[in-house]
Amino acid sequence: SHALSTNLTMTPTLLRLGCRPTQALHLSGYSLKSSVSICRSRTSKSLVSCAQISRCATRTSSTRTLATLPSTSLWKSNQTSNYSITDCRWSSTSASSNEPKIDYLSLPHSSPEVQNLIEHHARKPQTSASLQTLMKTGRGEFLHKLSKHNQGGGFASVTSRPEDESEATPLVLVQVASFLRRELPIRLAHRIHDLSRVSYLQDMKSVQQVKDLYTTSFLEILSVDKHPPTREGSEAWEEQFAKILENIYERHSSVLVQMARGAFELRAAIRKGALLGVDDDGCDEGQKTSSDKELQVGRDAVEFELMESTHAFLDRFYISRIGIRVLIGQYLSLRQPPVENYVGIICSKTSPYEIVKRAIDDAAFMCTRKYGDAPEVIITGRLDMTFPYVPTHLHYIMLELLKNSMRATVEYHGVDADYPPIKVVIADGSDNEDVIIKVSDEGGGIPRSNMKRIWSYLFTTADPEIQEGMVAFNENVDHSIDSPLAGLGYGLPISRSYARYFGGDLSIMSMEGYGTDCFVYLTRLGNTREPLPI
């Protein structure tokens, strides 16, 4: 950091920032009451080479302490080729700041202070990550960036990587925690903002509870100091932050079921006629008379699965939720004792064959428990290949597809029949960009009119009474063989979200009267960034 012996408000002082715009200016412990002008480097087209801090007689500002200002987010060009500060990150722990720190956790969620804080973070862009980035960070390959961005915090000499790549060092944990402290409030604010504006669904009680849950987590994370105070205090800071994220991770495990309940409440409200003027696109129909609307709601029972705006929201919500849980889950796993071939929740040698086998066992157990028998599953193709992936994600996808195939096969051919086998093919080549898994069954297929609906939330063949009982059951797990989501119709759209999260996809082709083929595409390189929703 730059030690200044002169009074900034008395004498102009020239500070060397270097020619790289990613470097940071540290003035910790000093008050800034003056204008700042930035000059271009004569030898480089880089953003900043030096900063001149001089006294400004005509413009003054309240005394604050400047702390770690990344130039890339602070300097904005004007017509005179100078630069001005557009956004300041002030230290919340500075002793020289006279402004009291607001305890947002003690304020109601509807208070202007909390709402303004949410709006402020919702305007910030989210930072996407790839599978490779998560693995490299967990291995300590980006520790050199910690030294660059924390020159004033005692990390300048940090360049070493952990000897065991599966074990995260305390500095790796501090680096990951610092990123999450900055990123998670932004992601949560985006979802809170979205939950407040989704048509019709925002009025459902369960959805309001989810919004309150997200707001509480948002404020809890902001209650932690943005950066560790010193290198000596970094581990205590990281441990405090980890405890908060552990509670958030556990508390949010029921969100999927809560949102399912909220969507079910909306569907029930529509069918009971509680909501009027909703067409199949989720839009108002002001041209219709009141009697026409009542007739439409009462007789046609507007199909929830065709409300495109609601489903677009749910897609955004769930892909974002997957991202939040991956980031927190990766961080918490890095804090656990190392496991061979794992970096956090990512396995560097994920075997599709082994995961498919486990999914077959789980699906057969579920099918046998319900029908007394289960079809045989035959696996062919590349049984020896491995690639980096999150095994729990792939298991969820394969369990859903195999479960659906087994149920369709048994119901189409009848109990105690001689079932045709379900076939799973694993395809991969050295030049392939994807690992592809195909699941084929002879379960009678899906009518073409229903192909769009299979990707709609709450589209299911389960009886309404069974469905209602499932959403009334609050299970604090995301997915398992006993998950209440089994009959909620969430399986396929959530599976597609899991596949798309790391750049893959899920597609289904069906032949009515014969069977269905499902294709799972998974990227081999893991360099695709998260598809973060706005």
Side-chain angles (χ1 to χ4, degrees):
S1 60
H2 301 272
L4 303 182
S5 59
T6 58
N7 189 330
L8 293 181
T9 62
M10 295 294 292
T11 307
T13 304
L14 195 65
L15 300 179
R16 183 71 180 174
L17 294 181
C19 61
R20 298 188 62 182
T22 55
Q23 288 184 320
L25 171 64
H26 296 265
L27 296 173
S28 300
Y30 285 85
S31 299
L32 181 66
K33 294 185 178 180
S34 57
S35 62
V36 178
S37 60
I38 306 302
C39 309
R40 290 183 182 273
S41 171
R42 293 182 179 180
T43 60
S44 172
K45 294 183 179 180
S46 299
L47 182 64
V48 177
S49 64
C50 61
Q52 185 179 13
I53 302 181
S54 58
R55 185 174 181 178
C56 180
T58 58
R59 296 175 59 189
T60 59
S61 61
S62 58
T63 301
R64 294 173 182 259
T65 298
L66 200 61
T68 311
L69 306 178
S71 57
T72 52
S73 64
L74 295 174
W75 312 119
K76 180 180 179 182
S77 176
N78 57 30
Q79 294 180 352
T80 62
S81 297
N82 289 328
Y83 294 82
S84 58
I85 291 182
T86 58
D87 178 30
C88 293
R89 302 183 183 183
W90 305 107
S91 171
S92 61
T93 60
S94 171
S96 62
S97 176
N98 296 323
E99 297 185 5
K101 187 176 180 180
I102 300 176
D103 182 11
Y104 289 104
L105 284 171
S106 63
L107 297 175
H109 291 175
S110 58
S111 65
E113 295 86 353
V114 172
Q115 293 303 311
N116 290 338
L117 195 63
I118 292 172
E119 290 294 329
H120 173 71
H121 283 80
R123 287 193 295 267
K124 296 181 179 181
Q126 303 169 89
T127 304
S128 61
S130 67
L131 195 83
Q132 281 188 356
T133 301
L134 294 175
M135 291 187 68
K136 289 181 178 180
T137 304
R139 289 170 174 165
E141 295 184 28
F142 294 140
L143 279 178
H144 61 283
K145 294 188 176 183
L146 183 68
S147 63
K148 285 184 179 181
H149 293 111
N150 293 276
Q151 293 173 9
F155 298 103
S157 62
V158 178
T159 56
S160 62
R161 290 169 51 185
E163 296 180 2
D164 182 359
E165 291 189 342
S166 63
E167 182 176 3
T169 65
L171 285 177
V172 169
L173 296 177
V174 170
Q175 184 181 39
V176 176
S178 298
F179 170 74
L180 295 184
R181 170 58 182 81
R182 181 177 67 254
E183 178 66 16
L184 289 178
I186 297 175
R187 296 199 182 194
L188 291 171
H190 276 266
R191 299 284 63 81
I192 296 169
H193 189 270
D194 213 9
L195 283 165
S196 303
R197 286 160 176 76
V198 57
S199 300
Y200 307 110
L201 198 58
Q202 63 174 318
D203 298 322
M204 300 299 109
K205 180 180 178 181
S206 296
V207 176
Q208 293 173 352
Q209 292 173 348
V210 171
K211 179 185 171 184
D212 287 340
L213 186 67
Y214 270 58
T215 304
T216 299
S217 300
F218 169 79
L219 297 176
E220 285 183 356
I221 294 175
L222 289 181
S223 69
V224 180
D225 292 336
K226 197 167 188 177
H227 301 288
T230 61
R231 181 172 183 177
E232 291 73 19
S234 61
E235 291 188 28
W237 174 87
E238 185 271 332
E239 186 174 349
Q240 175 198 6
F241 186 64
K243 290 180 179 178
I244 290 178
L245 289 193
E246 285 176 1
N247 292 332
I248 290 175
Y249 192 82
E250 179 66 24
R251 195 165 61 231
H252 281 233
S253 62
S254 64
V255 165
L256 212 153
V257 174
Q258 285 181 281
M259 288 300 294
R261 187 185 297 114
F264 183 84
E265 290 169 359
L266 176 59
R267 185 178 187 179
I270 292 173
R271 291 189 169 181
K272 290 178 181 178
L275 297 177
L276 302 179
V278 182
D279 64 11
D280 60 4
D281 291 324
C283 302
D284 292 338
E285 296 180 284
Q287 295 83 0
K288 293 189 176 183
T289 65
S290 178
S291 59
D292 288 337
K293 293 176 182 177
E294 292 174 359
L295 211 60
Q296 177 187 349
V297 174
R299 292 171 57 185
D300 297 338
V302 180
E303 289 297 327
F304 170 84
E305 51 267 18
L306 296 179
M307 294 176 64
E308 294 182 2
S309 61
T310 301
H311 282 86
F313 159 78
L314 289 173
D315 278 334
R316 293 193 304 272
F317 182 86
Y318 287 123
I319 198 73
S320 175
R321 180 178 183 271
I322 291 173
I324 291 172
R325 292 189 72 77
V326 164
L327 292 181
I328 298 178
Q330 175 72 357
Y331 166 61
L332 296 179
S333 294
L334 288 173
R335 303 186 84 251
Q336 302 301 315
V339 179
E340 185 179 4
N341 298 326
Y342 273 81
V343 180
I345 62 175
I346 304 168
C347 180
S348 59
K349 296 182 179 180
T350 300
S351 168
Y353 173 64
E354 294 297 330
I355 291 177
V356 168
K357 283 202 306 180
R358 291 200 297 270
I360 290 172
D361 292 340
D362 291 339
F365 171 77
M366 299 171 70
C367 187
T368 303
R369 184 174 60 179
K370 183 172 183 179
Y371 299 104
D373 199 2
E376 180 190 6
V377 180
I378 300 174
I379 309 175
T380 58
R382 283 290 308 276
L383 307 185
D384 59 339
M385 63 89 54
T386 61
F387 73 114
Y389 207 70
V390 181
T392 54
H393 287 194
L394 183 54
H395 180 270
Y396 177 86
I397 296 170
M398 297 311 303
L399 175 60
E400 178 63 25
L401 297 181
L402 289 165
K403 173 174 63 70
N404 289 347
S405 290
M406 288 185 181
R407 185 180 76 165
T409 300
V410 172
E411 291 183 350
Y412 182 70
H413 293 276
V415 180
D416 297 329
D418 187 12
Y419 305 125
I422 297 170
K423 299 176 182 178
V424 177
V425 181
I426 302 172
D428 176 60
S430 58
D431 297 329
N432 288 16
E433 65 179 42
D434 291 330
V435 174
I436 307 172
I437 304 175
K438 182 177 76 168
V439 179
S440 301
D441 66 60
E442 298 177 28
I446 303 170
R448 189 163 59 91
S449 60
N450 278 346
M451 286 303 295
K452 183 179 179 181
R453 295 184 174 189
I454 65 174
W455 303 114
S456 296
Y457 298 93
L458 288 191
F459 173 74
T460 179
T461 56
D463 295 334
E465 293 79 8
I466 296 176
Q467 203 173 18
E468 186 173 1
M470 286 177 174
V471 296
F473 181 68
N474 185 10
E475 179 69 45
N476 289 325
V477 293
D478 280 343
H479 43 77
S480 70
I481 58 176
D482 296 315
S483 174
L485 298 173
L488 290 179
Y490 268 47
L492 285 177
I494 293 294
S495 295
R496 187 170 65 173
S497 294
Y498 272 118
R500 288 179 171 177
Y501 179 73
F502 284 124
D505 207 350
L506 172 61
S507 64
I508 292 179
M509 298 184 67
S510 189
M511 181 184 293
E512 186 178 7
Y514 182 76
T516 301
D517 290 348
C518 304
F519 297 87
V520 181
Y521 302 91
L522 308 169
T523 55
R524 296 177 74 249
L525 299 178
N527 57 358
T528 306
R529 290 187 170 272
E530 304 169 87
L532 294 178
I534 301 296

